[in-house]
Amino acid sequence: MDPIKPARAVKEALERAVDKIADLTAPATPGAPSSTSPAVDEPTEPGEPLPRKPDQTEPETRTATGAQTGANSREQQGAFLTTSTGTRLRDTDHSLKAGSRGPTLLQDHHLREKITHFDHERIPERVVHARGAGVHGVFVGYGNAEQVCKSAFLREGESTPVFVRFSTVVGSRGSADTVRDTRGFATKFYTSEGNFDLVGNNIPVFFIQDGIKFPDVIHAAKPHPDREIPQAQSAHDTFWDFVSLHTEATHHVLWSMSDRAVPRSYRTMEGFGVHTFRLVNAEGATSLVKFHWKPRLGVHSLEWEEAQLLSGVDPDFHRRDLFDAIEAGAYPQWELGIQVFPDTPEQTFEGIDLLDPTKIVPEELAPVRPVGVLTLNRNTTNYFAETEQIAFHVGHLVPGIDVTDDPLLHARLFSYIDTQLSRLGGPNFNQIPVNRPHAPVNDMLRDGLHQHAVHSGVAPYKPNSLDGGCPFQAGADTGAYAEIAAPVAAAVKERKSPASFSDHFSQPRLFYRSLEPLERQHIIRAFTFELGKCYEQAIKERQLRVLANVDTELCAAVAAGLGLPAPEPTAVLPEVTPSPALSQLGKRWPTDGRVIGIVVDATDPSGLDGVPALQRAITDAGMTPLVIAARGGELPLELTAQRTFLTARSVEFDALLVAAAPPPAPDAVPHRAAVDPRIVLMLQEAYRHAKVIGGWGTASAALTEAGIGLDDVGVVVGEDPAEVFPQVLDLLAGHRVWDRFPASAT
C-alpha cells in the first residue's frame, strides 16, 4: 500500500469532521475572502477551483438583451423602446430642456446614453464623416466684424493658420468621393486666443432639430445592418422609411436630392455653420449670427451621370482634385461671411426660428457680410497623423463667440469630446500635433493615456500656494473666455419642442421654388432614382405624401417616374418668395484651377501646330492643360501626353479641346469607325454633361462622328486654337453650357 494514502484518508476524515462541527456552530463572522480557510503551507496538490461562498450565486444566464438563453435569445425583446437597462421610454425625439426653448439639461440620462453609445459604435473609424481629405491654409480677417465680434482672428490683417477637413457623411473610409451625400466642411483656426473649430456642412440645414435624434438618422442612412449594403448612399429602404415618417427631415432631403449633394469639387463647394451662434463685441453687446463659407470659384456641381462614372473611374476624384490644385498653385479660396440678426428674447428673425437647424434665413432678408478670406495652400505630409487624427469640437470656442440654445447644437457639445475619447485613445487628444493650439497652454489636466506634456510643479489644483498660486484665473481685461450671460426663461423641465419647430414644409417649398427649371428637374430625377431603388412600395407612397405637401409639380413628376398616383396635399401649400441666392445657375465665376483636355493626333504633326502656345495660354489663365494622345510620353514639338485614349475620361475635364480626329489606336476595341471610339465616347459624354467643346483643324470629323453639330450651343469651331480658346474661356465662366438642354420642369 502507498504509505501516503493512509495519511490522506485521515486528513480527509478530519476535514469532514471540522465541516460538520462548523455546520452546528453559530454563523461565521462575515468578511472571509474565500469559501474555505487556507492552510498555513502553500498548497501543492492540484485541485478543482474552490466553490463559491454560501452568500454568492452565479449570475443568471441571460443575454445582452435581457432574455433567457436559448433559441433567438439575442434578438431585441419586448414591444416597447427601453434604455440599455430595460427601462421603458416614452419619448426619444426630444432632449430634456428647461422649457421648450430652453437649454438642454445635463441630467438627461437618456440623451447621454443614446449619444454615448452611438459615439462608440465604430473603432477606430469615425462613425460619420469617415471619408475625408484635409489640408492646411491661412485665414486673414478683414477687420469689419469688430462691431459684432471681439475675436482676435477677425481683426484686420490678422493671419491665422488653419486646418480644413472636407468629408462625406455616410460612407466608410473606403467609399467613393462622388456619392450623393452631405459634405462636411470643418475648419480648425489656430488663433492667438486658443483653437476655434467651425464644424459645418455644405448644406445649411440638417435632418433633425434635436440632437437626441442623431443616432436615428445615421442608423437609417447607413448600410442595412443585416447585409452591410448599400454603401455610401441613401437610395435604400431604411433611409426613406425614416425621412418619410420624420418629416422635419424634408428640408435637408430636398437639398440632398439637389445638385448640392454632388459637388464638382471641394473647391466649388459652399459651407455653412448650420446653427445660430451668439457673438459679443468689445463693449459686451451681443448679436445672433449664421456662418457661411463662399467659394471664390462659385458653387458648381457634377451631373449625376458624371458622379456615377467617377465612382468607378476615379473614386478619389475630390481629394485628388483638391491636392492637385494646391500642388499646382491654384490655391482654393473661400470668404467667411456672417448673417447678423438682433439678439432678441424670441431669437427669431422675420418669423424664422433661429434655433431651428432645419431652417435657413434667405440672403435676400439678411445679406451675408464677408469678414475674412480662407486660402488653402499646403497639403498634408501624412494622412493618418494629420487628417485622420484631427479632432474637431463645436465647443472649441474663443472670446467673442458663444453657443445658443439650439438642441441639436447642445447634443453636439457633448458628443464630440466623447467621440474623441474612443477614437484617439484617451483624454489627451489635443496634444496630437495637428490638434495642438498655437496659444500658450497652462491647464491643470494631468496624466491619462498618451500624455505628451511633461508638467512641472506639484499643485495642479486651485487655490494653491505650493506652486506660487499659478496658474491664475484670467479676467475680462486679460482675454478670458466668458459665457454670455443670456437670460433663461422660467420654465418646467420637459421633453418638448417649440411650436415653431412643427413647420416642416414651407422652407423645403421655398428651396424648390427658388431653383431654376434645370435644377428642379435634377431634383425630380434624384427622387425618382432614390425611391426607385427602394423595395417597399409603402415607403414610396409615404414619401410621395410628403412631397405633395412641398410642391404638387414635384410630387406629380416623381410619382409618374415611379408609376404611382400622385397624392393630394394634406395641408395648404404656403406662398413663398423665391430666394435667387439658392440657385447655382445664372452667374459668372473665375476659371482658376479648371482642367482642360486637349485631344491630339501624334501621327499628324501638322495638327499639333499651335498646341504648345495653347498650353501656355491655359496655364497663364490659371488652369491646367492635359494633352490626350494615343500613347503616353513625348510627342513632336516637345509636347508630352499626360493622358492616353485608354486612361482619359471626360469626367476629369471641365472642357475638351480637339485638335484632330485621331484614327483608332492599336489598343482600341475592334471597330469600323474612322475615329478612335474612346474619343467619340469622350465627346458624347462631355456634350451630354453640358461642357464646353472646342475644335480646329480636322476636329469637325470627330465631332460629326460623335453626333455633335458644329453650330450647337457651347461648341466652338475655328481655324486654329488661338481663335477658339478665348471663346471657350468666356463660356467656362458659366461653368457649363446650361442652355444646351432646355429643362422641362417649370
Side-chain angles (χ1 to χ4, degrees):
M1 173 182 274
D2 186 349
I4 299 177
K5 286 186 177 180
R8 182 177 296 166
V10 172
K11 181 181 178 183
E12 290 175 351
L14 180 60
E15 288 176 345
R16 286 195 295 271
V18 170
D19 290 342
K20 183 69 173 178
I21 295 170
D23 291 340
L24 298 174
T25 60
T29 303
S34 177
S35 59
T36 62
S37 297
V40 174
D41 296 329
E42 179 182 358
T44 58
E45 289 291 324
E48 294 295 320
L50 296 176
R52 292 185 303 274
K53 292 171 60 178
D55 60 322
Q56 297 172 336
T57 59
E58 67 179 2
E60 287 190 56
T61 53
R62 290 183 178 271
T63 70
T65 58
Q68 291 282 0
T69 54
N72 301 323
S73 58
R74 290 181 177 85
E75 297 177 357
Q76 298 297 100
Q77 307 293 321
F80 297 101
L81 178 67
T82 72
T83 65
S84 62
T85 56
T87 301
R88 291 182 179 180
L89 293 165
R90 66 179 183 84
D91 187 350
T92 190
D93 292 340
H94 304 92
S95 299
L96 189 64
K97 298 184 282 291
S100 64
R101 296 182 62 74
T104 301
L105 300 178
L106 184 61
Q107 76 174 76
D108 190 349
H109 57 88
H110 173 46
L111 165 68
R112 288 186 287 113
E113 179 189 65
K114 187 174 179 181
I115 294 292
T116 298
H117 194 281
F118 172 73
D119 290 341
H120 296 262
E121 283 182 1
R122 303 288 188 276
I123 298 173
E125 180 178 285
R126 288 171 169 89
V127 178
V128 291
H129 298 278
R131 172 74 171 180
V135 290
H136 298 269
V138 62
F139 177 84
V140 178
Y142 290 161
N144 58 348
E146 292 183 356
Q147 63 185 36
V148 294
C149 186
K150 64 181 180 181
S151 297
F153 78 99
L154 295 175
R155 294 171 186 161
E156 184 175 5
E158 182 84 7
S159 181
T160 302
V162 301
F163 189 91
V164 176
R165 186 177 188 271
F166 302 107
S167 57
T168 54
V169 172
V170 177
S172 69
R173 278 187 59 187
S175 58
D177 278 347
T178 58
V179 295
R180 181 179 294 280
D181 197 358
T182 304
R183 263 72 181 177
F185 192 136
T187 307
K188 185 179 291 291
F189 298 81
Y190 303 96
T191 87
S192 60
E193 300 176 297
N195 287 357
F196 168 53
D197 291 353
L198 182 55
V199 193
N201 288 332
N202 74 320
I203 289 176
V205 292
F206 202 60
F207 290 105
I208 54 175
Q209 296 166 325
D210 193 312
I212 201 170
K213 296 299 295 177
F214 194 70
D216 297 305
V217 65
I218 299 302
H219 285 167
K222 283 285 187 177
H224 293 195
D226 56 346
R227 302 186 181 189
E228 188 63 12
I229 57 173
Q231 174 62 242
Q233 59 177 297
S234 54
H236 56 85
D237 287 75
T238 59
F239 175 79
W240 289 100
D241 181 42
F242 175 80
V243 298
S244 63
L245 291 167
H246 203 64
T247 55
E248 69 188 49
T250 303
H251 195 188
H252 194 154
V253 168
L254 263 290
W255 282 78
S256 295
M257 295 302 106
S258 77
D259 294 338
R260 299 281 187 141
V262 281
R264 158 62 181 83
S265 164
Y266 289 137
R267 300 179 292 128
T268 62
M269 190 176 78
E270 205 165 2
F272 304 89
V274 179
H275 306 288
T276 299
F277 291 81
R278 181 174 276 112
L279 302 187
V280 60
N281 64 15
E283 288 72 43
T286 62
S287 304
L288 301 179
V289 303
K290 285 184 176 291
F291 290 107
H292 294 248
W293 289 112
K294 297 283 189 181
R296 285 272 177 89
L297 298 179
V299 185
H300 307 310
S301 296
L302 293 168
E303 285 274 307
W304 177 231
E305 184 188 27
E306 285 185 297
Q308 293 173 299
L309 288 170
L310 281 165
S311 290
V313 173
D314 186 4
D316 304 305
F317 178 71
H318 281 154
R319 56 173 65 186
R320 190 188 311 280
D321 172 88
L322 177 67
F323 300 151
D324 287 354
I326 292 175
E327 186 177 358
Y331 300 140
Q333 289 188 314
W334 289 259
E335 280 193 312
L336 177 64
I338 54 175
Q339 286 181 296
V340 182
F341 319 105
D343 189 0
T344 63
E346 296 78 19
Q347 298 178 90
T348 62
F349 182 78
E350 297 291 335
I352 300 169
D353 194 328
L354 297 176
L355 301 186
D356 184 348
T358 69
K359 303 291 195 303
I360 64 166
V361 177
E363 294 182 28
E364 291 76 16
L365 297 180
V368 177
R369 308 179 190 177
V371 296
V373 62
L374 166 69
T375 304
L376 300 181
N377 56 14
R378 183 163 58 91
N379 287 323
T380 55
T381 301
N382 182 276
Y383 180 88
F384 179 82
E386 298 169 278
T387 305
E388 190 62 19
Q389 292 195 119
I390 189 78
F392 296 99
H393 176 33
V394 289
H396 288 164
L397 302 167
V398 291
I401 304 176
D402 202 352
V403 300
T404 56
D405 291 337
D406 177 340
L408 175 59
L409 177 56
H410 279 209
R412 295 179 73 193
L413 288 169
F414 167 78
S415 179
Y416 278 68
I417 283 187
D418 185 52
T419 299
Q420 311 305 352
L421 292 174
S422 175
R423 285 199 63 251
L424 300 176
N428 292 308
F429 54 85
N430 279 322
Q431 295 183 15
I432 296 171
V434 73
N435 296 320
R436 291 173 184 171
H438 294 199
V441 175
N442 191 352
D443 58 40
M444 293 188 295
L445 309 176
R446 293 294 185 268
D447 306 338
L449 291 173
H450 310 302
Q451 174 61 259
H452 294 272
V454 182
H455 295 101
S456 59
V458 296
Y461 51 84
K462 292 289 294 180
N464 77 72
S465 62
L466 294 178
D467 280 348
C470 187
F472 297 93
Q473 295 173 169
D477 58 338
T478 49
Y481 183 87
E483 289 78 9
I484 297 167
V488 177
V492 297
K493 295 184 296 185
E494 55 185 340
R495 294 189 184 275
K496 188 179 180 182
S497 292
S500 59
F501 277 40
S502 62
D503 175 13
H504 299 163
F505 299 116
S506 63
Q507 287 225 328
R509 179 169 175 78
L510 165 67
F511 176 67
Y512 184 77
R513 301 312 302 181
S514 298
L515 302 182
E516 294 295 322
L518 180 69
E519 295 171 298
R520 295 203 292 270
Q521 186 177 83
H522 290 172
I523 287 181
I524 290 169
R525 291 174 181 171
F527 271 109
T528 306
F529 173 85
E530 297 256 329
L531 291 171
K533 299 284 281 187
C534 291
Y535 179 84
E536 296 292 350
Q537 199 78 349
I539 292 175
K540 303 177 188 179
E541 295 176 6
R542 188 192 308 141
Q543 183 59 35
L544 287 175
R545 294 179 185 176
V546 175
L547 295 182
N549 288 330
V550 174
D551 190 272
T552 53
E553 169 217 282
L554 169 63
C555 180
V558 175
L562 297 174
L564 295 171
E568 293 296 322
T570 58
V572 177
L573 300 184
E575 291 294 328
V576 295
T577 302
S579 170
L582 297 176
S583 173
Q584 298 184 37
L585 308 188
K587 306 176 183 68
R588 294 177 63 81
W589 303 99
T591 58
D592 304 47
R594 304 292 177 88
V595 179
I596 311 299
I598 307 173
V599 178
V600 301
D601 179 4
T603 64
D604 180 13
S606 63
L608 301 178
D609 292 341
V611 173
L614 173 64
Q615 286 182 299
R616 289 192 295 272
I618 293 173
T619 302
D620 291 345
M623 300 184 293
T624 301
L626 296 178
V627 174
I628 309 166
R631 61 172 177 81
E634 295 182 0
L635 305 176
L637 300 183
E638 298 184 351
L639 291 172
T640 300
Q642 291 85 21
R643 298 288 188 275
T644 67
F645 299 167
L646 177 65
T647 62
R649 285 302 293 266
S650 68
V651 286
E652 66 176 314
F653 306 112
D654 294 285
L656 274 180
L657 301 179
V658 186
D667 61 347
V669 175
H671 51 78
R672 297 175 180 172
V675 180
D676 192 291
R678 294 162 295 188
I679 298 303
V680 172
L681 175 63
M682 190 180 303
L683 286 169
Q684 290 172 335
E685 289 177 347
Y687 185 85
R688 226 172 27 246
H689 302 151
K691 294 181 179 179
V692 184
I693 298 173
W696 57 91
T698 59
S700 57
L703 295 172
T704 301
E705 186 71 25
I708 299 172
L710 303 185
D711 57 353
D712 284 354
V713 176
V715 178
V716 182
V717 178
E719 295 297 324
D720 57 61
E723 175 189 351
V724 170
F725 179 63
Q727 300 177 64
V728 168
L729 184 61
D730 181 68
L731 288 169
L732 269 174
H735 181 54
R736 296 182 193 261
V737 189
W738 299 114
D739 295 338
R740 183 176 292 161
F741 306 111
S744 58
T746 58

